Amino acid sequence: MALSLPTRQRRGVASDLPSPSSSRSKPDEKEDKRKRSEEGQEHKAIGWFLPLFALGMLRYMSATSNIIHDCDEVFNYWEPLHFLLYNSGFQTWEYSSQYALRSYLYINFHELVGLPASWLFPDDKVRVFYAVRFFLGLVSVISDATLVVALSRKYGKRLASYALAMLCLTSGCFFASTSFLPSSFAMYAMSLSSGLFLLGRPASAVAVAAAGVILGWPFSILAFLPITIYSLARRFKQTFLAGAVTSLVLLVLSVLVDYYYYKRWDVICFFNLLQYNVLGGGESHLYGIEGPIFYLRNGFNNFNFCFILGLLFPAFLPIARRKYAPDLLIVVSPLYIWLGFMSLQPHKEERFLYPIYPLVCVAASAVIESFPDLFRDKYNPHDNSWPVVIAKFIRPVVLGLILSASHARTFSLINGYGAPLETYKILEHYDDVGTGSTLCVGSEWHRFPSSFFVPEYISEVRWIDDGFRGLLPLPFNSTLGGTAAAPPHFNNKNKASDEQFLRDIEACTFLVELQLNRPYPTRGSDLSTWEPIAALPYLDREFSPSMYRSFFIPYLWQEKNVFGMYKLLKRVSK
């Protein structure tokens, strides 16, 4: 009886009686296990130092060695920035107040670094150029490091380490990270937004996404939809307020800034750009069209096997669903949405894929990490059968192959197409010709590296007619109102203006020309008129085999490829 009494008393304790919460005991246990699992992952996760250091080193290398891949980067971003800093530079029709497709808010964001740099280096515009590039690299470092740390805390060190290696070394990320382009800014926002989402901060993730769309590239809104929709579903009120407030503040700021420059209250560049390209039937085909596999070919060039593995992520999802669904699937889904949407557009450019570049690395990392799961017994997580062991061994082999091919691609581009930047730097050593000199550029106008590389003693840069019949940029005209001007020679049909060419070639002091092995003479071939003062090799894309020009293969790269000479010529005094 003495022993049974406590037993009966124990059964009578109120806390042990059934309660409404008892039906939720199993879900609560699962939630506790999930939290303990995440705490364990965080304990084993990669810290901030490694990704910041590794990405910092590689982004520094990118800032100092990156070429300019697209003339749009120069004429729509570097040149307006140069005008704001030095009151000179080229203007495109998109910056005419008649069309106002580009917001100066994005330029002002970079002016925050460019202006102090111009004070610090008043006589060296090239250093100002690289100061802005270092800033771009720093933003890339912070956003990508956030993504790596988030992956590490959520999915472990291995997957995060693979992603870090690819973010650092794949050619696509290496070059896009320090390009002065809205699509690069959208890429930074994609990395940061994805990282914040995985860290359990949906409101911050949506706020960053809004900044990437409004301050960066409006078209990238499609790529941010999965994270935005899922974040709203998780925490609607907080997330909605964060996104709405960020959007409203940036839109108001954009209107105020653009009024200051365009002198028009009715200018909302965000909507003007969307209207021209989407609602207004913008004639993007005027600037070139490509076939449906353009982005697949381009993706392989910039990411090699990483791109293929990234595309295979959905096929691996049934095997690794427990690990990656739904959060990682939400994060990488823009890769397929954006790739499919952009492939349907007739006008294609490499930079249009920049926003999803980090997601290629994440998706490929998840696939490589899941190799052993293809052979592992799903009821035995500790299965170490020989297929599983081989799959584990293949993981670093595949990663090494990706990184080696990436280095080959990066080396080929820098050494094959780096001549324009280096050629223009030589101009600073010929200031003995005196002020008022004229630099002339013919068919190489699209490789002009920006006015940051044109010394002060050169009063103007002029285009000479080499057969191009499209509309070329012309200098900002302060007399007509500078940024508020609507020059009559601009149009949105890509039709050449009579004012864009210099007719009197005798007025040229310097000439930039690419001399290729062709059967027709070039302007600089008359040595009685022109003296070459610089000549650097430039890869002849037309006559070089695709494989050898795309990837550096020791010995064969120099042997198989054909090179022209990128020349800077000075007029011979008579």
Side-chain angles (χ1 to χ4, degrees):
M1 293 295 294
L3 292 175
S4 61
L5 181 60
T7 303
R8 286 194 297 270
Q9 289 176 343
R10 180 72 184 93
R11 289 175 181 173
V13 176
S15 61
D16 288 339
L17 295 175
S19 66
S21 63
S22 62
S23 59
R24 299 196 303 269
S25 60
K26 290 186 178 179
D28 289 344
E29 288 176 6
K30 290 181 179 179
E31 181 67 17
D32 291 340
K33 288 181 180 179
R34 185 186 65 81
K35 289 181 179 180
R36 286 196 300 269
S37 176
E38 290 182 357
E39 289 172 0
Q41 290 281 18
E42 184 171 345
H43 179 70
K44 300 176 183 177
I46 294 175
W48 285 93
F49 176 78
L50 178 61
L52 287 174
F53 178 78
L55 287 163
M57 292 292 290
L58 269 297
R59 297 301 179 253
Y60 172 82
M61 293 172 64
S62 174
T64 55
S65 62
N66 197 0
I67 62 175
I68 292 179
H69 300 258
D70 195 316
C71 63
D72 192 70
E73 178 182 357
V74 170
F75 295 117
N76 274 333
Y77 307 105
W78 285 113
E79 287 301 297
L81 177 62
H82 189 275
F83 181 76
L84 297 186
L85 296 178
Y86 301 103
N87 202 36
S88 67
F90 283 100
Q91 180 184 24
T92 65
W93 70 271
E94 294 159 277
Y95 280 92
S96 166
S97 62
Q98 178 182 353
Y99 304 105
L101 297 189
R102 306 290 180 178
S103 175
Y104 278 94
L105 181 60
Y106 176 68
I107 305 297
N108 286 159
F109 178 68
H110 299 79
E111 191 182 8
L112 293 175
V113 173
L115 189 60
S118 67
W119 297 336
L120 189 61
F121 309 110
D123 301 319
D124 196 341
K125 294 191 295 183
V126 175
R127 288 193 177 187
V128 177
F129 175 90
Y130 283 107
V132 174
R133 266 200 173 175
F134 289 143
F135 170 67
L136 295 172
L138 178 61
V139 177
S140 176
V141 167
I142 294 171
S143 58
D144 287 344
T146 303
L147 178 58
V148 170
V149 170
L151 288 170
S152 178
R153 292 182 180 180
K154 188 85 173 178
Y155 302 107
K157 282 186 177 181
R158 183 180 291 109
L159 189 150
S161 299
Y162 293 161
L164 175 60
M166 294 182 195
L167 287 168
C168 285
L169 294 171
T170 49
S171 298
C173 293
F174 183 87
F175 291 123
S177 62
T178 54
S179 293
F180 187 4
L181 288 166
S183 50
S184 285
F185 188 86
M187 181 185 73
Y188 308 150
M190 181 62 73
S191 287
L192 184 56
S193 179
S194 299
L196 291 170
F197 174 79
L198 292 175
L199 289 172
R201 300 178 181 178
S204 299
V206 171
V208 170
V213 171
I214 297 173
L215 183 56
W217 201 29
F219 305 107
S220 64
I221 188 172
L222 183 63
F224 287 105
L225 279 181
I227 282 181
T228 301
I229 293 172
Y230 198 76
S231 296
L232 287 170
R234 278 185 170 179
R235 300 179 192 171
F236 180 81
K237 184 177 179 180
Q238 184 181 3
T239 302
F240 178 80
L241 285 175
V245 169
T246 303
S247 301
L248 184 62
V249 168
L250 289 176
L251 283 172
V252 170
L253 193 58
S254 176
V255 170
L256 294 175
V257 168
D258 290 329
Y259 171 75
Y260 176 80
Y261 289 106
Y262 287 120
K263 299 295 186 281
R264 290 176 55 189
W265 279 114
D266 61 335
V267 169
I268 303 179
C269 297
F270 176 89
F271 295 114
N272 287 354
L273 189 62
L274 287 176
Q275 182 180 16
Y276 172 77
N277 285 279
V278 182
L279 303 178
E283 299 175 285
S284 60
H285 65 274
L286 295 173
Y287 305 95
I289 59 176
E290 298 289 346
I293 66 168
F294 173 81
Y295 287 128
L296 296 179
R297 184 173 64 251
N298 191 268
F300 183 80
N301 282 339
N302 286 318
F303 289 93
N304 56 82
F305 301 105
C306 174
F307 187 71
I308 296 174
L309 292 174
L311 295 182
L312 290 175
F313 177 80
F316 275 71
L317 197 58
I319 302 170
R321 183 173 60 252
R322 292 182 181 178
K323 290 193 293 184
Y324 302 141
D327 287 0
L328 195 64
L329 177 61
I330 295 295
V331 166
V332 302
S333 60
L335 166 59
Y336 316 103
I337 298 171
W338 188 251
L339 184 61
F341 174 77
M342 296 307 295
S343 295
L344 295 175
Q345 310 308 308
H347 179 57
K348 300 177 177 67
E349 295 189 37
E350 177 182 330
R351 59 190 168 91
F352 292 170
L353 286 193
Y354 283 6
I356 60 170
Y357 274 7
L359 307 185
V360 176
C361 300
V362 173
S365 300
V367 169
I368 295 174
E369 202 270 341
S370 298
F371 279 173
D373 295 334
L374 290 170
F375 310 100
R376 181 177 285 128
D377 182 353
K378 63 179 181 179
Y379 299 108
N380 181 13
H382 303 291
D383 180 12
N384 281 319
S385 59
W386 64 265
V388 174
V389 173
I390 292 175
K392 289 180 178 180
F393 174 77
I394 290 175
R395 288 190 299 199
V397 173
V398 171
L399 180 64
L401 181 63
I402 290 171
L403 300 184
S404 297
S406 297
H407 177 71
R409 171 70 174 174
T410 302
F411 186 94
S412 181
L413 290 182
I414 292 174
N415 289 276
Y417 303 105
L421 276 173
E422 300 305 317
T423 299
Y424 279 84
K425 290 178 183 178
I426 296 172
L427 282 168
E428 64 179 346
H429 302 296
Y430 288 87
D431 55 352
D432 56 332
V433 299
T435 57
S437 300
T438 301
L439 171 65
C440 293
V441 185
S443 60
E444 286 303 295
W445 65 269
H446 61 290
R447 296 191 181 101
F448 176 64
S450 83
S451 298
F452 284 92
F453 292 85
V454 179
E456 294 297 331
Y457 72 86
I458 294 178
S459 61
E460 60 178 352
V461 177
R462 296 300 305 271
W463 314 128
I464 54 179
D465 191 353
D466 267 356
F468 181 72
R469 290 296 169 260
L471 180 64
L472 290 175
L474 287 161
F476 278 95
N477 192 323
S478 297
T479 304
L480 294 177
T483 59
H489 47 255
F490 281 144
N491 62 80
N492 62 354
K493 303 297 182 182
N494 198 27
K495 294 181 179 179
S497 166
D498 293 335
E499 301 179 30
Q500 67 189 27
F501 294 121
L502 175 67
R503 304 299 177 185
D504 182 15
I505 309 302
E506 297 297 319
C508 299
T509 311
F510 296 97
L511 173 66
V512 173
E513 191 170 71
L514 174 59
Q515 293 187 357
L516 302 172
N517 187 17
R518 300 291 188 274
Y520 47 82
T522 58
R523 299 179 189 274
S525 59
D526 184 3
L527 296 182
S528 64
T529 305
W530 298 102
E531 170 194 5
I533 57 177
L536 296 173
Y538 190 88
L539 189 61
D540 188 341
R541 185 181 184 278
E542 186 177 346
F543 284 89
S544 298
S546 176
M547 184 178 70
Y548 295 108
R549 73 168 185 262
S550 297
F551 299 94
F552 174 79
I553 302 174
Y555 305 110
L556 295 179
W557 190 78
Q558 295 91 335
E559 179 183 333
K560 298 291 185 180
N561 287 320
V562 177
F563 295 87
M565 297 304 294
Y566 208 90
K567 290 188 174 182
L568 175 62
L569 303 116
K570 178 184 174 186
R571 181 174 291 280
V572 175
S573 302
K574 297 183 179 178

